[in-house]
Amino acid sequence: MCVSGIFLGVVWALWHLPLFFIPQSSQYNYPLIVHVLYTIILSMVITFVFERTKRNITFAIILHSASNALITSLAFSYSSVSNLYSYIRNNQLIKKA
């Protein structure tokens, strides 16, 4: 389960990689390492739930949807995730790659 969750997380992060290069997307200017770690952890949780519910995809869909809703609500509470991370980078709270 752990290996499959990690593998799925890496694939999931790569699937979203193009969004980091589109200025209007929510991932633009978002730290890539944060996204990769988040997707790996989330995919491990979803994989765990999927296995525990005897491979019922419904709960995996609910978790994924809840995760998207949480991230979206946090993004709107800061007016823009990309502006927040630009501010953090410009003030050297996160080192530039």
Side-chain angles (χ1 to χ4, degrees):
M1 176 196 59
C2 187
V3 174
S4 60
I6 292 170
F7 177 76
L8 179 61
V10 171
V11 170
W12 193 4
L14 290 173
W15 175 264
H16 290 93
L17 190 61
L19 294 174
F20 286 85
F21 303 103
I22 301 171
Q24 293 81 15
S25 74
S26 60
Q27 277 95 354
Y28 188 73
N29 280 337
Y30 190 79
L32 183 61
I33 189 68
V34 172
H35 176 71
V36 170
L37 291 174
Y38 175 75
T39 55
I40 289 172
I41 291 167
L42 184 60
S43 68
M44 290 174 65
V45 170
I46 290 174
T47 302
F48 175 79
V49 170
F50 178 72
E51 292 294 328
R52 290 292 178 157
T53 59
K54 298 178 182 164
R55 299 179 173 257
N56 186 339
I57 194 75
T58 304
F59 294 106
I61 292 169
I62 291 170
L63 276 175
H64 185 243
S65 300
S67 167
N68 286 350
L70 175 66
I71 294 299
T72 301
S73 66
L74 289 175
F76 283 121
S77 69
Y78 289 108
S79 79
S80 171
V81 172
S82 61
N83 288 339
L84 173 66
Y85 282 101
S86 293
Y87 173 80
I88 291 170
R89 282 192 182 135
N90 291 337
N91 289 293
Q92 297 180 355
L93 300 173
I94 295 177
K95 291 185 177 184
K96 294 181 181 178

